Amino acid sequence: MEINETINELLQASTDGTITTAQVTKAGLHRSVLQKLVDCGELYRYGRGLYVKSSAWEDDFYLLQRKYERGIYSHDTALYLLGYSDRTPVKYTMTFPKGYNTPSLKQENITVKRVVPKNYEFGIIEIQSPSGNPIRVYDLERTLCDILRGSGSDIQIVGEAMKRYAASKTKDIHKLMQYAEQLRVKPKVLHYMEVLL
């Protein structure tokens, strides 16, 4: 009886519908109780050590970032989340620090980008996912530099995002140029800004 009460307390305290093996262990329970809840259909396993209530609304953006905490939404996915692209990404793009390696990443429907540690940290902001949960994403200036830096970005998406940025009242050209310098895309950024401003 006591086990059920503890589990119910943990589940009710969860604002996002998730429960972790670490929480269960910290509460003094054996993690096998989670498997029992999966077997009876109350929970499902989302990833290693992360379980979700079957009745919870599934927020892929949030759950994927809970599963891969070092992943930051970037490139076309960040443009979409920041409202600078109307195209819902078919595959989510996440950036990780070089050297971060999880074999399960290959099984996910995500495009993995890797950057040197000094370029990983800057430009990270926290926003709400479309379902209202907190997620980490690169800010707009960083995202614009990232999409100009790499190959494979759709030229229409890039052009449209740059146009919207140039017309925005909240643009920060100084920050954009600082990021462009650090990420070595200053000539490309200057070209777009000269045409659009």
Side-chain angles (χ1 to χ4, degrees):
M1 187 62 196
E2 200 178 296
I3 292 172
N4 288 345
E5 278 176 31
T6 307
I7 284 290
N8 282 334
E9 281 174 24
L10 287 172
L11 287 170
Q12 283 171 351
S14 169
T15 56
D16 56 16
T18 66
I19 187 169
T20 64
T21 307
Q23 287 173 298
V24 169
T25 309
K26 192 177 175 186
L29 301 175
H30 193 275
R31 61 180 180 218
S32 63
V33 297
L34 290 167
Q35 188 55 51
K36 286 178 186 150
L37 290 166
V38 168
D39 293 343
C40 75
E42 203 168 319
L43 296 176
Y44 68 92
R45 186 173 183 265
Y46 188 83
R48 187 175 175 187
L50 180 62
Y51 295 80
V52 183
K53 282 198 267 189
S54 298
S55 60
W57 177 262
E58 191 171 302
D59 181 351
D60 280 339
F61 287 109
Y62 177 73
L63 290 173
L64 205 53
Q65 203 162 57
R66 283 283 308 265
K67 191 173 178 181
Y68 302 107
E69 291 185 354
R70 301 294 307 274
I72 308 297
Y73 287 111
S74 60
H75 298 76
D76 54 335
T77 305
L79 279 182
Y80 170 75
L81 290 167
L82 294 167
Y84 274 73
S85 171
D86 301 326
R87 245 188 250 181
T88 308
V90 179
K91 268 180 118 169
Y92 299 149
T93 303
M94 291 180 107
T95 295
F96 295 87
K98 257 196 174 96
Y100 177 87
N101 199 7
T102 302
S104 62
L105 264 177
K106 291 179 177 76
Q107 278 104 52
E108 297 290 351
N109 187 31
I110 57 175
T111 302
V112 175
K113 303 282 185 182
R114 298 188 196 283
V115 292
V116 291
K118 73 172 187 153
N119 288 343
Y120 169 74
E121 294 290 335
F122 74 90
I124 298 173
I125 58 171
E126 191 175 278
I127 63 168
Q128 301 242 307
S129 72
S131 299
N133 290 306
I135 54 172
R136 289 176 329 284
V137 60
Y138 283 120
D139 67 16
L140 189 54
E141 286 79 10
R142 167 68 191 258
T143 298
L144 292 173
C145 290
D146 280 342
I147 60 173
L148 287 174
R149 189 167 171 229
S151 57
S153 290
D154 186 320
I155 197 74
Q156 281 183 312
I157 291 175
V158 175
E160 185 57 36
M162 284 299 202
K163 265 190 233 161
R164 284 191 194 182
Y165 182 76
S168 166
K169 287 179 171 60
T170 58
K171 65 182 173 284
D172 186 339
I173 300 292
H174 179 68
K175 190 202 281 185
L176 180 67
M177 288 307 161
Q178 276 184 311
Y179 286 2
E181 181 90 36
Q182 184 158 347
L183 294 170
R184 299 187 178 140
V185 289
K186 202 168 180 180
K188 287 182 179 180
V189 171
L190 283 170
H191 170 74
Y192 268 101
M193 289 301 118
E194 280 166 10
V195 171
L196 297 169
L197 290 176

